[in-house]
Amino acid sequence: MNYEALMELALAEAAQSGNDVPVGALVVTASGEVIGRAHNNREITHDPTGHAEIIAIREATSFLTDWRLDGCTLVVTLEPCVMCAGAIVAARIPRVVFGAWDERVGASGSLYDLLRDGRLGNPVEVIAGVKEKEASAQLKNFFAERRVQDK
């Protein structure tokens, strides 16, 4: 599976986040078919669960008509938080690929490592830093623009 090409799609999805933190996520089957795609939408929906990962997981489970996403891969531009890590484990997604690390609230190896914690079920394979520079730059540019607007 070409993780760099998939991360490019996730970065394009993140760019559609509008006034929300630009995070994009894809759920991909073992054959490479994208069955869930989303970006953060908390601001527009006023929903704290409006994270790209959660929405993409919902799309994928709806597509498959099954809550189990065995064999799928989640590709996301930013390291998943605790809430999203819990959803990933609950959906039984065996692999997560992410771009930028989230030292503030990351739960996939930086601050916490819930995905690889065997006490929660089967450990999730984590592939970090795919197109990290691009993912980090997208986030940094967003926050720099926000600081200018807030002045």
Side-chain angles (χ1 to χ4, degrees), residues 2-131:
N2 185 340
Y3 296 135
E4 290 195 357
L6 290 168
M7 189 61 71
E8 284 292 335
L9 293 175
L11 288 163
E13 186 66 34
Q16 298 178 43
S17 295
N19 287 335
D20 215 321
V21 176
V23 177
L26 312 170
V27 176
V28 184
T29 64
S31 66
E33 180 183 6
V34 176
I35 59 171
R37 173 190 306 251
H39 54 272
N40 278 359
N41 72 5
R42 293 175 306 168
E43 297 299 329
I44 197 165
T45 62
H46 311 291
D47 179 357
T49 68
H51 289 207
E53 300 95 311
I54 301 292
I55 302 163
I57 288 169
R58 287 178 183 151
E59 275 195 14
T61 58
S62 178
F63 179 85
L64 294 177
T65 63
D66 191 349
W67 62 268
R68 294 171 196 87
L69 296 176
D70 298 316
C72 291
T73 298
L74 177 78
V75 178
V76 61
T77 59
L78 180 64
E79 178 184 4
C81 69
V82 171
M83 175 182 68
C84 293
I88 291 162
V89 170
R92 298 186 181 165
I93 297 172
R95 180 178 309 103
V96 170
V97 176
F98 70 83
W101 290 93
D102 188 344
E103 300 293 334
R104 195 174 63 79
V105 296
S108 307
S110 62
L111 187 60
Y112 303 104
D113 199 355
L114 297 179
L115 293 181
R116 292 181 278 209
D117 188 334
R119 295 172 295 179
L120 301 176
N122 289 332
V124 175
E125 177 185 4
V126 175
I127 301 170
V130 175
K131 300 198 81 61

